[in-house]
Structure formats: C-alpha cells, structure tokens
Amino acid sequence: MPTPSEWNAAGSVFGIDRNGTPFQLGAVPNVVPQYGAGVIGAYTKDSKVEAGFVLKTLEDFTERKGWSGNVGANLKSVVTIGTSYGGETRMAITVGQPEDAAQVWFKTSGFRVEDGFKYFLVREAYQAKEVIFEVKRDDLAKLGGDAVVKAVEGKFNIFDGSNKDSYLLKAKLPTFVNVCIKPREIVVTGAGATGQQTFGFRDPIGPILPVK
C-alpha cells in the first residue's frame, strides 16, 4: 500500500475500477479479526501517486486539519514517494471462513462484478503506528514546497534522506492503520437465466493495482 489507510481492514471488501482506482465497499458483518504480534521487515516501497493523495493522507493521520488545501500544490501532479513503517506493529487476521460471510454479504448487498472491475476481501492486514515518507526535494514543490515542511512541523520529525536529495517525514500515528494486506479476489463462478451472478474466491493473479 503506497500510504497508510484506515480502509482495507481485515474483514472488509474493496474494489478496483476500470481506471485502477481503489474504492471501499464496506466491512462484512460478523467477520471479526483477531490481533497478534506482527513484525514488518525493513522494506521501502516507491510509488507514484498524486500530490493531493499524499497531502490528504498527511492531513488525516497527523490531525492537522485545513492546511493541505492552502499550500498551493498542484494536487494532480504525480510525485514519487518512498513509504516505510516502524514503531509498534501488529497483524489482524480474519478467523474461520470469512469468504462464506463475504459471499452472502456481497450478493445480498446487490453488488455485481462488472467488466473491468475487481473486488477483494481482505483476509489479513499488517498494521503500524509509525510511518516514514521519503519525498524527493525535486517533488517537494508539487506538495507546496516549504509550506508543507512548516505545516507539518510538530507533527513529523523532518530530516534529510539519502544523499540529502530528499526529505524524510517521520510520524507516530494516533491509531493503528493498515499498511499491508493479504486479499482474496471475488470472482464470478456462474450466472443464472436472469443474469444473477454466483461468486467464488481465488488468490489474486498479478499486481492488484496497475503498475505505473
């Protein structure tokens, strides 16, 4: 996951539209995750995302409301960020056979698998309470330049990154957020004479999000 999220918790269902944009459908009732120790290894993922998405994430998880819309950023500009996690971590695991409950919920909610769309049940999720964003100095202007650095002071520890060509924004989050997930894809297994779909599950084939 390129940024931490309260979405995609264990036991939830999300979709990917034709443009490769994820969206949340909801949590499956009666699917309760159990929490245990989970260690996220030394891992940094570089992702290309819109500046506005990064700003909204920073705003949400630092509880610093109102500043992201005023920093003069081109919110649609694409920036490259490196994301890693630390601090207190844990794993949330759905117990039993959540696929059965998810299948019933998906069907009774009236959802359909349309051409070009994909849907997933989150089976497991790693969660963390500390996030580190590495933003290239060349990309900082797309996030509002020094205005961002000043706005997040007191919320993030800000220091130079590799070869001092980037900023590292490191923050302890007020709550656990989902940072890595293990999903199962919801697939159509048949359709009746009326077009009513039946569903099954499989492990995802290839990347969930399109590679940019």
Side-chain angles (χ1 to χ4, degrees):
M1 296 171 65
T3 62
S5 175
E6 291 177 324
W7 282 15
N8 301 333
S12 66
V13 174
F14 69 96
I16 307 292
D17 69 16
R18 294 185 181 93
N19 297 317
T21 303
F23 57 94
Q24 189 77 4
L25 270 71
V28 179
N30 303 319
V31 174
V32 180
Q34 292 184 346
Y35 300 95
V39 177
I40 303 172
Y43 170 77
T44 301
K45 173 65 175 177
D46 284 340
S47 302
K48 293 185 181 296
V49 295
E50 289 183 355
F53 187 64
V54 177
L55 290 171
K56 186 65 169 64
T57 301
L58 295 176
E59 181 177 271
D60 285 348
F61 293 112
T62 61
E63 299 179 344
R64 183 74 119 186
K65 302 298 183 183
W67 59 264
S68 71
N70 298 314
V71 295
N74 180 355
L75 300 184
K76 293 295 184 179
S77 295
V78 174
V79 298
T80 300
I81 60 168
T83 308
S84 55
Y85 304 98
E88 188 178 357
T89 60
R90 69 183 184 184
M91 176 181 278
I93 300 177
T94 53
V95 297
Q97 298 296 325
E99 286 88 350
D100 294 341
Q103 185 181 71
V104 172
W105 175 80
F106 192 83
K107 183 177 180 179
T108 57
S109 296
F111 296 119
R112 290 177 54 84
V113 177
E114 304 289 350
D115 289 343
F117 282 72
K118 294 183 178 181
Y119 297 91
F120 300 89
L121 165 69
V122 180
R123 226 10 182 112
E124 301 173 7
Y126 275 107
Q127 299 181 322
K129 292 188 73 174
E130 184 175 277
V131 61
I132 303 166
F133 285 143
E134 182 168 6
V135 182
K136 299 296 183 184
R137 290 181 186 271
D138 291 344
D139 277 345
L140 190 66
K142 299 176 184 178
L143 296 178
D146 290 340
V148 166
V149 176
K150 293 176 181 177
V152 299
E153 283 177 348
K155 290 291 186 180
F156 278 83
N157 294 320
I158 304 170
F159 49 95
D160 288 329
S162 56
N163 301 319
K164 295 189 176 182
D165 64 350
S166 59
Y167 279 115
L168 293 178
L169 309 180
K170 181 176 180 180
K172 294 183 181 300
L173 307 176
T175 186
F176 279 103
V177 292
N178 304 299
V179 300
C180 183
I181 61 173
K182 180 181 179 180
R184 294 268 287 164
E185 185 177 357
I186 302 172
V187 294
V188 177
T189 57
T194 62
Q196 186 177 35
Q197 296 175 330
T198 57
F199 306 104
F201 292 83
R202 70 181 180 191
D203 291 333
I205 299 174
I208 293 175
L209 293 175
V211 178
K212 297 182 178 180

